[in-house]
Amino acid sequence: MGPGVDRVPSSARFPASAEVVVIGGGIIGVATALSLVEQGIRTVLLEKGTVAAEQSSRNWGWCRRTGRDLRELPLINLSMQLWEGMNERVQRETGFRRCGILYAARSEKQRDLHQRWVNEARQYGIHSEMLSPAQLLQHLPQLKGDYPGGMFTPLDGRAEPQKAAPAMARAAMALGLNLQQHCAVRTIERSAGQVSEVITEHGAIRCQQVVVAGGAWSRLLLQGLGVSLPQLKVLSSVLRTRPIDFDPGACVSFGSVAMRKRLDGGLTVATSAISTADITPDSLRFSAQFMPAFWHERKAIKLRAGKRFLEEALYWKPGQADKRSIYEVLRVLEPTIDAGMIPLIRDRISALIPSLAPLPVAQSWGGMIDSLPDAIPVISAVDPVPGLFLATGFSGHGFGIAPGAGQLMADLVLNRAPSVDAHPFRFSRFTDGEKIRAQFWL
Ligand SMILES: Cc1cc2nc3c(=O)[nH]c(=O)nc-3n(C[C@H](O)[C@H](O)[C@H](O)COP(=O)(O)OP(=O)(O)OC[C@H]3O[C@@H](n4cnc5c(N)ncnc54)[C@H](O)[C@@H]3O)c2cc1C
């Protein structure tokens, strides 16, 4: 079971048409829909399960500039400005707090890499600091272990994943958004090549513009239109504690584990050191494109062969307008947690901060992260299909960047000047000869 997410009621009336249909009620779809309705655009948001039930409620909640791919820095700067005013904008609690983010360096080599990132980030107006071992201990006096220093961004922050997208969705509804949950999109239809209709399990909605923000499902939705998106998934495990009398101040990564204080008084704790990648037909299909990133991260990715291969080979097929689809069978992607991870996270955090042992674990869950070969998203028109837009592939850091991503997506749909340069996020980069490469700074 995933974490408890604030519920949002669906709209009463099923719409026959819309100016824009957004597919996917994760934080990216919600942020896009919010930006659209704020401009008075008649928007429908379709979600096969419930708002934020997949990645967008299962993540750590870090709103992070620290260590990001340089291509994302203008967009995350915009997002941090938007987070700052988000509670006021949506008139609800999203949990956003500017608490700072701190990465302890595991080695001298890593500290040097952090230093290089700090130097690069300055030209984007980001003032992160390098910490000496003594300064690191001032932040975390209880820390045991040898760290040659750290990297700290005081103006980074956190928000509550179980609250943020629901709060934003409610605000969008107050401005006229039509939200349909338990409403899976089976297919996107075209007329003379142009998007013309979205077929859901409850009927058709006429529209000329569709934004696919389907998280881990985006690839399949595009496949239904004959468009290939190189997208894979990795499983990451998280736990939360009961409310406890300990606050690390900033969100902190120690290399092997990471934690932050929650609004409910507990901690969210996870490992950044290991993710599990099930071998699926897509892993084979896209192996060449993902190989450089996989090779770099090979110590952090545990490959697992098992029943997912057969499940995806047999059942993960694009939908058909008149048949029950996989999107209705799997309302919520609820990956089984990697059983070894929870004791590992618990033991590591207890070794680093002995006063936390025994860690009062209240709940644990798994989340499926969707990723693209260069680990930055697509926020773009999909050129082969007029009227089709895509916002997906946020690769483990889409929560913090969502407000800006939603605004940028809305800019592109409305054909107005983009808030930041959208070129790095174009869909066509996978086919126009650009060298596809991820950046690793952490
Ligand atoms: C364990 C974990 C930790 C993370 N930590 C962080 C972090 O600290 N900071 C950060 O910035 N990011 C983090 N991330 C990444 C972040 O959570 C994601 O990048 C972000 O939530 C992606 O949002 P999304 O809206 O694209 O996808 P999702 O939240 O997955 O939403 C996609 C939605 O589309 C719906 N959908 C799909 N197909 C259909 C269909 N056919 N019809 C209708 N609906 C459909 C799905 O049901 C789903 O609700 C983490 C992720 C995980 C899993």
Side-chain angles (χ1 to χ4, degrees), residues 251-308:
C251 306
V252 188
S253 166
F254 303 102
S256 57
V257 274
M259 68 176 168
R260 73 161 174 99
K261 189 71 174 172
R262 298 168 58 87
L263 213 55
D264 64 13
L267 295 172
T268 294
V269 189
T271 172
S272 39
I274 305 177
S275 306
T276 308
D278 288 308
I279 298 172
T280 62
D282 280 349
S283 336
L284 307 182
R285 196 171 285 129
F286 300 125
S287 59
Q289 279 146 294
F290 277 86
M291 189 47 77
F294 172 73
W295 188 249
H296 188 274
E297 294 290 281
R298 62 194 180 281
K299 289 189 188 142
I301 297 179
K302 198 167 117 187
L303 284 178
R304 187 169 70 176
K307 61 181 181 160
R308 275 204 88 84

CSV table of all heavy atoms in Angstrom, one decimal, residues 251-308:
chain,number,residue,atom,x,y,z
A,251,CYS,N,16.9,18.9,4.3
A,251,CYS,CA,16.9,17.5,3.7
A,251,CYS,C,18.3,17.1,3.5
A,251,CYS,O,19.1,17.8,3.0
A,251,CYS,CB,16.2,17.5,2.3
A,251,CYS,SG,14.6,18.3,2.3
A,252,VAL,N,18.7,15.9,4.0
A,252,VAL,CA,20.1,15.5,4.0
A,252,VAL,C,20.3,14.2,3.3
A,252,VAL,O,19.5,13.2,3.5
A,252,VAL,CB,20.6,15.3,5.4
A,252,VAL,CG1,22.1,15.1,5.4
A,252,VAL,CG2,20.3,16.5,6.3
A,253,SER,N,21.3,14.1,2.4
A,253,SER,CA,21.7,12.8,1.8
A,253,SER,C,23.1,12.5,2.3
A,253,SER,O,24.0,13.3,2.3
A,253,SER,CB,21.8,12.9,0.3
A,253,SER,OG,22.5,11.8,-0.2
A,254,PHE,N,23.2,11.3,2.8
A,254,PHE,CA,24.5,10.8,3.3
A,254,PHE,C,25.2,9.9,2.3
A,254,PHE,O,26.1,9.2,2.6
A,254,PHE,CB,24.4,10.0,4.6
A,254,PHE,CG,23.7,10.8,5.7
A,254,PHE,CD1,22.4,10.6,6.0
A,254,PHE,CD2,24.4,11.7,6.4
A,254,PHE,CE1,21.7,11.3,7.0
A,254,PHE,CE2,23.7,12.5,7.4
A,254,PHE,CZ,22.4,12.2,7.7
A,255,GLY,N,24.7,9.9,1.1
A,255,GLY,CA,25.2,9.0,0.1
A,255,GLY,C,24.5,7.7,0.0
A,255,GLY,O,23.8,7.4,-0.9
A,256,SER,N,24.5,6.9,1.1
A,256,SER,CA,23.8,5.7,1.1
A,256,SER,C,22.3,5.8,1.5
A,256,SER,O,21.5,5.1,1.1
A,256,SER,CB,24.5,4.7,2.1
A,256,SER,OG,24.5,5.3,3.4
A,257,VAL,N,22.0,6.8,2.4
A,257,VAL,CA,20.6,7.0,2.8
A,257,VAL,C,20.4,8.5,2.8
A,257,VAL,O,21.3,9.3,2.9
A,257,VAL,CB,20.3,6.5,4.2
A,257,VAL,CG1,19.9,5.0,4.1
A,257,VAL,CG2,21.3,6.7,5.2
A,258,ALA,N,19.1,8.9,2.8
A,258,ALA,CA,18.7,10.3,2.8
A,258,ALA,C,17.5,10.4,3.7
A,258,ALA,O,16.7,9.5,3.8
A,258,ALA,CB,18.4,10.7,1.4
A,259,MET,N,17.3,11.6,4.2
A,259,MET,CA,16.1,11.8,5.1
A,259,MET,C,15.7,13.3,5.1
A,259,MET,O,16.4,14.2,4.8
A,259,MET,CB,16.4,11.4,6.5
A,259,MET,CG,17.3,12.2,7.2
A,259,MET,SD,17.5,11.6,8.9
A,259,MET,CE,18.9,12.5,9.5
A,260,ARG,N,14.4,13.5,5.5
A,260,ARG,CA,13.9,14.8,5.7
A,260,ARG,C,12.8,14.8,6.8
A,260,ARG,O,12.2,13.7,7.0
A,260,ARG,CB,13.3,15.4,4.4
A,260,ARG,CG,12.0,14.8,4.0
A,260,ARG,CD,11.2,15.6,3.0
A,260,ARG,NE,10.0,14.9,2.6
A,260,ARG,CZ,8.8,15.1,3.1
A,260,ARG,NH1,8.6,16.0,4.0
A,260,ARG,NH2,7.8,14.4,2.6
A,261,LYS,N,12.6,15.9,7.4
A,261,LYS,CA,11.5,16.1,8.4
A,261,LYS,C,10.2,16.2,7.6
A,261,LYS,O,10.1,16.8,6.6
A,261,LYS,CB,11.7,17.3,9.2
A,261,LYS,CG,10.8,17.4,10.4
A,261,LYS,CD,11.1,16.4,11.5
A,261,LYS,CE,10.3,16.6,12.7
A,261,LYS,NZ,10.5,15.5,13.7
A,262,ARG,N,9.1,15.6,8.2
A,262,ARG,CA,7.8,15.6,7.6
A,262,ARG,C,6.9,16.6,8.4
A,262,ARG,O,7.2,16.9,9.5
A,262,ARG,CB,7.1,14.3,7.6
A,262,ARG,CG,7.8,13.2,6.9
A,262,ARG,CD,7.2,11.8,7.2
A,262,ARG,NE,5.8,11.8,7.0
A,262,ARG,CZ,5.2,11.4,5.8
A,262,ARG,NH1,6.0,11.1,4.8
A,262,ARG,NH2,3.9,11.4,5.6
A,263,LEU,N,5.9,17.1,7.7
A,263,LEU,CA,5.0,18.1,8.4
A,263,LEU,C,4.3,17.4,9.5
A,263,LEU,O,3.9,18.0,10.5
A,263,LEU,CB,4.0,18.5,7.3
A,263,LEU,CG,3.4,19.9,7.4
A,263,LEU,CD1,4.5,21.0,7.5
A,263,LEU,CD2,2.5,20.2,6.3
A,264,ASP,N,4.1,16.1,9.5
A,264,ASP,CA,3.4,15.3,10.5
A,264,ASP,C,4.3,15.0,11.7
A,264,ASP,O,3.9,14.3,12.6
A,264,ASP,CB,2.7,14.1,10.0
A,264,ASP,CG,3.7,13.0,9.5
A,264,ASP,OD1,4.9,13.2,9.7
A,264,ASP,OD2,3.3,12.1,8.8
A,265,GLY,N,5.6,15.5,11.7
A,265,GLY,CA,6.5,15.3,12.8
A,265,GLY,C,7.4,14.0,12.6
A,265,GLY,O,8.3,13.8,13.4
A,266,GLY,N,7.1,13.2,11.6
A,266,GLY,CA,8.0,12.0,11.4
A,266,GLY,C,9.1,12.4,10.4
A,266,GLY,O,9.4,13.6,10.1
A,267,LEU,N,9.8,11.3,10.0
A,267,LEU,CA,10.9,11.5,9.0
A,267,LEU,C,10.5,10.7,7.8
A,267,LEU,O,9.9,9.6,7.9
A,267,LEU,CB,12.2,11.0,9.5
A,267,LEU,CG,12.9,11.7,10.7
A,267,LEU,CD1,14.1,10.9,11.2
A,267,LEU,CD2,13.3,13.1,10.4
A,268,THR,N,10.9,11.1,6.6
A,268,THR,CA,10.8,10.3,5.4
A,268,THR,C,12.3,9.9,5.2
A,268,THR,O,13.2,10.7,5.1
A,268,THR,CB,10.3,11.0,4.2
A,268,THR,OG1,8.9,11.3,4.4
A,268,THR,CG2,10.4,10.2,2.9
A,269,VAL,N,12.5,8.6,5.1
A,269,VAL,CA,13.9,8.0,5.0
A,269,VAL,C,13.9,7.1,3.8
A,269,VAL,O,13.0,6.3,3.6
A,269,VAL,CB,14.3,7.3,6.3
A,269,VAL,CG1,15.8,7.0,6.2
A,269,VAL,CG2,14.0,8.1,7.5
A,270,ALA,N,15.0,7.1,3.0
A,270,ALA,CA,15.1,6.3,1.8
A,270,ALA,C,16.6,6.1,1.5
A,270,ALA,O,17.4,6.7,2.0
A,270,ALA,CB,14.4,7.0,0.7
A,271,THR,N,16.8,5.1,0.6
A,271,THR,CA,18.1,5.0,0.1
A,271,THR,C,18.3,5.6,-1.3
A,271,THR,O,17.4,5.3,-2.2
A,271,THR,CB,18.6,3.5,0.1
A,271,THR,OG1,19.9,3.5,-0.6
A,271,THR,CG2,17.6,2.6,-0.7
A,272,SER,N,19.3,6.3,-1.5
A,272,SER,CA,19.6,6.9,-2.8
A,272,SER,C,20.6,6.0,-3.5
A,272,SER,O,21.0,6.2,-4.6
A,272,SER,CB,20.2,8.3,-2.6
A,272,SER,OG,21.0,8.4,-1.5
A,273,ALA,N,21.1,5.0,-2.7
A,273,ALA,CA,22.2,4.2,-3.2
A,273,ALA,C,21.8,3.0,-4.1
A,273,ALA,O,22.6,2.6,-4.9
A,273,ALA,CB,23.1,3.7,-2.0
A,274,ILE,N,20.6,2.5,-3.9
A,274,ILE,CA,20.2,1.4,-4.7
A,274,ILE,C,18.8,1.5,-5.2
A,274,ILE,O,17.8,1.7,-4.4
A,274,ILE,CB,20.3,0.1,-3.9
A,274,ILE,CG1,21.7,-0.1,-3.3
A,274,ILE,CG2,20.0,-1.2,-4.8
A,274,ILE,CD1,21.9,-1.3,-2.4
A,275,SER,N,18.6,1.3,-6.5
A,275,SER,CA,17.2,1.1,-7.1
A,275,SER,C,17.2,-0.2,-7.7
A,275,SER,O,18.2,-0.8,-8.1
A,275,SER,CB,17.0,2.2,-8.1
A,275,SER,OG,17.2,3.5,-7.6
A,276,THR,N,16.0,-0.7,-7.9
A,276,THR,CA,15.8,-2.1,-8.5
A,276,THR,C,15.2,-1.9,-9.9
A,276,THR,O,14.2,-1.2,-10.0
A,276,THR,CB,14.9,-2.9,-7.6
A,276,THR,OG1,15.4,-2.9,-6.3
A,276,THR,CG2,14.8,-4.4,-8.1
A,277,ALA,N,15.9,-2.5,-10.9
A,277,ALA,CA,15.3,-2.4,-12.3
A,277,ALA,C,14.9,-3.8,-12.7
A,277,ALA,O,15.7,-4.7,-12.8
A,277,ALA,CB,16.3,-1.8,-13.2
A,278,ASP,N,13.6,-4.0,-12.9
A,278,ASP,CA,13.1,-5.3,-13.4
A,278,ASP,C,13.4,-5.4,-14.9
A,278,ASP,O,13.3,-4.4,-15.6
A,278,ASP,CB,11.6,-5.4,-13.2
A,278,ASP,CG,11.2,-5.6,-11.7
A,278,ASP,OD1,11.8,-6.5,-11.1
A,278,ASP,OD2,10.4,-4.8,-11.2
A,279,ILE,N,13.9,-6.6,-15.3
A,279,ILE,CA,14.1,-6.7,-16.7
A,279,ILE,C,12.8,-7.0,-17.4
A,279,ILE,O,12.0,-7.9,-17.0
A,279,ILE,CB,15.1,-7.9,-16.9
A,279,ILE,CG1,16.4,-7.6,-16.3
A,279,ILE,CG2,15.3,-8.2,-18.4
A,279,ILE,CD1,17.4,-8.7,-16.2
A,280,THR,N,12.5,-6.2,-18.4
A,280,THR,CA,11.2,-6.2,-19.1
A,280,THR,C,11.5,-6.2,-20.6
A,280,THR,O,12.6,-5.9,-21.0
A,280,THR,CB,10.3,-5.0,-18.7
A,280,THR,OG1,11.1,-3.8,-19.2
A,280,THR,CG2,10.1,-4.9,-17.2
A,281,PRO,N,10.5,-6.4,-21.4
A,281,PRO,CA,10.7,-6.3,-22.8
A,281,PRO,C,11.3,-4.9,-23.2
A,281,PRO,O,12.1,-4.8,-24.1
A,281,PRO,CB,9.3,-6.5,-23.4
A,281,PRO,CG,8.6,-7.4,-22.4
A,281,PRO,CD,9.1,-6.9,-21.1
A,282,ASP,N,10.8,-3.8,-22.5
A,282,ASP,CA,11.3,-2.5,-22.8
A,282,ASP,C,12.8,-2.4,-22.5
A,282,ASP,O,13.6,-1.6,-23.1
A,282,ASP,CB,10.6,-1.4,-22.0
A,282,ASP,CG,9.2,-1.1,-22.7
A,282,ASP,OD1,9.0,-1.5,-23.8
A,282,ASP,OD2,8.4,-0.4,-22.0
A,283,SER,N,13.3,-3.1,-21.4
A,283,SER,CA,14.7,-3.0,-21.1
A,283,SER,C,15.6,-3.5,-22.2
A,283,SER,O,16.6,-3.0,-22.5
A,283,SER,CB,15.1,-3.8,-19.8
A,283,SER,OG,14.1,-4.1,-19.0
A,284,LEU,N,15.1,-4.5,-22.9
A,284,LEU,CA,15.8,-5.1,-24.1
A,284,LEU,C,15.7,-4.1,-25.2
A,284,LEU,O,16.6,-3.8,-25.9
A,284,LEU,CB,15.3,-6.4,-24.4
A,284,LEU,CG,15.2,-7.5,-23.3
A,284,LEU,CD1,14.7,-8.8,-23.8
A,284,LEU,CD2,16.6,-7.6,-22.7
A,285,ARG,N,14.4,-3.6,-25.4
A,285,ARG,CA,14.2,-2.7,-26.6
A,285,ARG,C,15.0,-1.5,-26.5
A,285,ARG,O,15.5,-1.0,-27.5
A,285,ARG,CB,12.7,-2.3,-26.5
A,285,ARG,CG,12.1,-1.8,-27.7
A,285,ARG,CD,10.5,-1.6,-27.6
A,285,ARG,NE,9.8,-2.9,-27.7
A,285,ARG,CZ,8.9,-3.3,-26.8
A,285,ARG,NH1,8.6,-2.6,-25.8
A,285,ARG,NH2,8.3,-4.5,-27.0
A,286,PHE,N,15.2,-0.9,-25.3
A,286,PHE,CA,15.9,0.4,-25.2
A,286,PHE,C,17.3,0.2,-24.6
A,286,PHE,O,17.9,1.2,-24.2
A,286,PHE,CB,15.1,1.4,-24.4
A,286,PHE,CG,13.7,1.6,-25.0
A,286,PHE,CD1,12.6,1.5,-24.2
A,286,PHE,CD2,13.6,2.1,-26.3
A,286,PHE,CE1,11.3,1.7,-24.7
A,286,PHE,CE2,12.3,2.3,-26.8
A,286,PHE,CZ,11.2,2.2,-26.0
A,287,SER,N,17.8,-1.0,-24.6
A,287,SER,CA,19.1,-1.2,-23.9
A,287,SER,C,20.2,-0.3,-24.5
A,287,SER,O,21.0,0.2,-23.7
A,287,SER,CB,19.5,-2.7,-23.9
A,287,SER,OG,19.6,-3.1,-25.2
A,288,ALA,N,20.3,-0.2,-25.8
A,288,ALA,CA,21.4,0.6,-26.3
A,288,ALA,C,21.3,2.1,-25.9
A,288,ALA,O,22.3,2.7,-25.5
A,288,ALA,CB,21.4,0.5,-27.9
A,289,GLN,N,20.1,2.6,-25.9
A,289,GLN,CA,19.9,4.0,-25.5
A,289,GLN,C,20.3,4.3,-24.1
A,289,GLN,O,20.8,5.3,-23.7
A,289,GLN,CB,18.5,4.5,-25.8
A,289,GLN,CG,18.4,4.9,-27.3
A,289,GLN,CD,17.0,4.6,-27.8
A,289,GLN,OE1,16.6,3.4,-27.8
A,289,GLN,NE2,16.2,5.6,-28.1
A,290,PHE,N,19.9,3.3,-23.2
A,290,PHE,CA,20.1,3.5,-21.8
A,290,PHE,C,21.5,3.1,-21.3
A,290,PHE,O,21.9,3.3,-20.1
A,290,PHE,CB,19.0,2.8,-21.0
A,290,PHE,CG,17.8,3.6,-20.9
A,290,PHE,CD1,16.8,3.5,-21.8
A,290,PHE,CD2,17.5,4.4,-19.8
A,290,PHE,CE1,15.6,4.2,-21.8
A,290,PHE,CE2,16.4,5.2,-19.7
A,290,PHE,CZ,15.4,5.1,-20.7
A,291,MET,N,22.3,2.4,-22.2
A,291,MET,CA,23.5,1.8,-21.7
A,291,MET,C,24.5,2.8,-21.1
A,291,MET,O,25.0,2.5,-20.0
A,291,MET,CB,24.2,1.0,-22.9
A,291,MET,CG,25.4,0.2,-22.4
A,291,MET,SD,25.1,-0.8,-21.0
A,291,MET,CE,24.1,-2.2,-21.7
A,292,PRO,N,24.7,4.0,-21.7
A,292,PRO,CA,25.7,4.9,-21.0
A,292,PRO,C,25.3,5.3,-19.6
A,292,PRO,O,26.1,5.2,-18.6
A,292,PRO,CB,25.7,6.1,-21.9
A,292,PRO,CG,25.2,5.6,-23.2
A,292,PRO,CD,24.3,4.5,-22.9
A,293,ALA,N,24.0,5.6,-19.4
A,293,ALA,CA,23.5,5.9,-18.0
A,293,ALA,C,23.6,4.7,-17.1
A,293,ALA,O,24.0,4.8,-15.9
A,293,ALA,CB,22.1,6.5,-18.1
A,294,PHE,N,23.2,3.6,-17.6
A,294,PHE,CA,23.2,2.4,-16.8
A,294,PHE,C,24.6,2.0,-16.4
A,294,PHE,O,24.9,1.7,-15.2
A,294,PHE,CB,22.6,1.2,-17.6
A,294,PHE,CG,22.8,-0.1,-16.9
A,294,PHE,CD1,22.0,-0.4,-15.8
A,294,PHE,CD2,23.8,-1.0,-17.3
A,294,PHE,CE1,22.2,-1.6,-15.1
A,294,PHE,CE2,23.9,-2.2,-16.6
A,294,PHE,CZ,23.2,-2.5,-15.5
A,295,TRP,N,25.6,2.2,-17.3
A,295,TRP,CA,27.0,1.8,-17.0
A,295,TRP,C,27.5,2.7,-15.9
A,295,TRP,O,28.1,2.3,-14.9
A,295,TRP,CB,27.8,1.9,-18.2
A,295,TRP,CG,29.2,1.4,-18.0
A,295,TRP,CD1,30.4,2.1,-17.9
A,295,TRP,CD2,29.5,0.0,-17.7
A,295,TRP,NE1,31.4,1.3,-17.7
A,295,TRP,CE2,30.9,0.0,-17.5
A,295,TRP,CE3,28.8,-1.1,-17.6
A,295,TRP,CZ2,31.6,-1.2,-17.2
A,295,TRP,CZ3,29.5,-2.3,-17.4
A,295,TRP,CH2,30.9,-2.3,-17.2
A,296,HIS,N,27.1,4.0,-16.0
A,296,HIS,CA,27.6,5.0,-14.9
A,296,HIS,C,27.0,4.6,-13.6
A,296,HIS,O,27.6,4.7,-12.5
A,296,HIS,CB,27.2,6.4,-15.3
A,296,HIS,CG,27.8,7.4,-14.4
A,296,HIS,ND1,27.2,7.8,-13.3
A,296,HIS,CD2,29.0,8.1,-14.5
A,296,HIS,CE1,27.9,8.7,-12.6
A,296,HIS,NE2,29.0,8.9,-13.4
A,297,GLU,N,25.7,4.2,-13.6
A,297,GLU,CA,25.0,3.9,-12.3
A,297,GLU,C,25.0,2.5,-11.9
A,297,GLU,O,24.2,2.1,-11.1
A,297,GLU,CB,23.6,4.4,-12.5
A,297,GLU,CG,23.4,5.9,-12.7
A,297,GLU,CD,23.7,6.7,-11.4
A,297,GLU,OE1,22.9,6.7,-10.5
A,297,GLU,OE2,24.9,7.2,-11.3
A,298,ARG,N,25.8,1.7,-12.6
A,298,ARG,CA,25.7,0.2,-12.4
A,298,ARG,C,25.8,-0.3,-11.0
A,298,ARG,O,25.1,-1.2,-10.6
A,298,ARG,CB,26.7,-0.6,-13.3
A,298,ARG,CG,28.2,-0.3,-13.0
A,298,ARG,CD,29.1,-0.8,-14.1
A,298,ARG,NE,30.5,-0.5,-13.7
A,298,ARG,CZ,31.1,0.6,-13.8
A,298,ARG,NH1,30.4,1.7,-14.3
A,298,ARG,NH2,32.4,0.7,-13.5
A,299,LYS,N,26.5,0.4,-10.1
A,299,LYS,CA,26.6,0.0,-8.7
A,299,LYS,C,25.3,0.3,-8.0
A,299,LYS,O,25.1,-0.2,-6.9
A,299,LYS,CB,27.8,0.7,-8.0
A,299,LYS,CG,29.1,0.1,-8.5
A,299,LYS,CD,30.3,0.6,-7.7
A,299,LYS,CE,31.6,0.2,-8.3
A,299,LYS,NZ,32.6,1.3,-8.2
A,300,ALA,N,24.6,1.3,-8.5
A,300,ALA,CA,23.4,1.7,-7.8
A,300,ALA,C,22.1,1.1,-8.3
A,300,ALA,O,21.0,1.3,-7.8
A,300,ALA,CB,23.3,3.2,-7.9
A,301,ILE,N,22.2,0.2,-9.4
A,301,ILE,CA,21.0,-0.4,-9.9
A,301,ILE,C,21.1,-1.9,-9.8
A,301,ILE,O,22.1,-2.5,-10.3
A,301,ILE,CB,20.8,0.0,-11.4
A,301,ILE,CG1,20.6,1.5,-11.5
A,301,ILE,CG2,19.7,-0.7,-12.0
A,301,ILE,CD1,20.4,2.0,-12.9
A,302,LYS,N,20.1,-2.4,-9.1
A,302,LYS,CA,20.1,-3.9,-9.0
A,302,LYS,C,19.1,-4.4,-10.0
A,302,LYS,O,17.9,-4.1,-10.0
A,302,LYS,CB,19.5,-4.2,-7.6
A,302,LYS,CG,19.7,-5.5,-7.0
A,302,LYS,CD,19.4,-5.5,-5.5
A,302,LYS,CE,18.2,-6.5,-5.3
A,302,LYS,NZ,17.7,-6.4,-3.9
A,303,LEU,N,19.7,-5.2,-11.0
A,303,LEU,CA,18.8,-5.8,-12.0
A,303,LEU,C,18.1,-7.0,-11.5
A,303,LEU,O,18.7,-7.8,-10.7
A,303,LEU,CB,19.7,-6.2,-13.2
A,303,LEU,CG,20.2,-5.1,-14.1
A,303,LEU,CD1,21.0,-5.7,-15.2
A,303,LEU,CD2,19.0,-4.3,-14.7
A,304,ARG,N,16.8,-7.2,-11.8
A,304,ARG,CA,16.0,-8.3,-11.2
A,304,ARG,C,15.2,-8.9,-12.4
A,304,ARG,O,14.5,-8.3,-13.1
A,304,ARG,CB,15.1,-7.7,-10.2
A,304,ARG,CG,14.3,-8.7,-9.4
A,304,ARG,CD,13.6,-8.1,-8.2
A,304,ARG,NE,12.5,-7.2,-8.6
A,304,ARG,CZ,11.7,-6.6,-7.8
A,304,ARG,NH1,11.8,-6.8,-6.5
A,304,ARG,NH2,10.7,-5.9,-8.2
A,305,ALA,N,15.4,-10.2,-12.5
A,305,ALA,CA,14.6,-11.0,-13.5
A,305,ALA,C,13.5,-11.6,-12.7
A,305,ALA,O,13.7,-12.2,-11.7
A,305,ALA,CB,15.5,-12.0,-14.1
A,306,GLY,N,12.3,-11.5,-13.3
A,306,GLY,CA,11.1,-12.1,-12.6
A,306,GLY,C,9.9,-12.0,-13.4
A,306,GLY,O,9.9,-11.8,-14.6
A,307,LYS,N,8.7,-12.0,-12.6
A,307,LYS,CA,7.5,-12.1,-13.3
A,307,LYS,C,7.1,-10.8,-14.1
A,307,LYS,O,6.2,-10.9,-15.0
A,307,LYS,CB,6.4,-12.5,-12.4
A,307,LYS,CG,6.1,-11.5,-11.3
A,307,LYS,CD,5.1,-12.0,-10.3
A,307,LYS,CE,4.9,-10.9,-9.3
A,307,LYS,NZ,3.8,-10.8,-8.5
A,308,ARG,N,7.7,-9.7,-13.8
A,308,ARG,CA,7.4,-8.5,-14.5
A,308,ARG,C,7.6,-8.6,-16.0
A,308,ARG,O,6.9,-8.0,-16.8
A,308,ARG,CB,8.2,-7.2,-14.0
A,308,ARG,CG,7.6,-6.6,-12.8
A,308,ARG,CD,8.0,-5.1,-12.7
A,308,ARG,NE,7.2,-4.2,-13.4
A,308,ARG,CZ,6.0,-3.8,-13.0
A,308,ARG,NH1,5.6,-4.1,-11.8
A,308,ARG,NH2,5.3,-3.0,-13.7
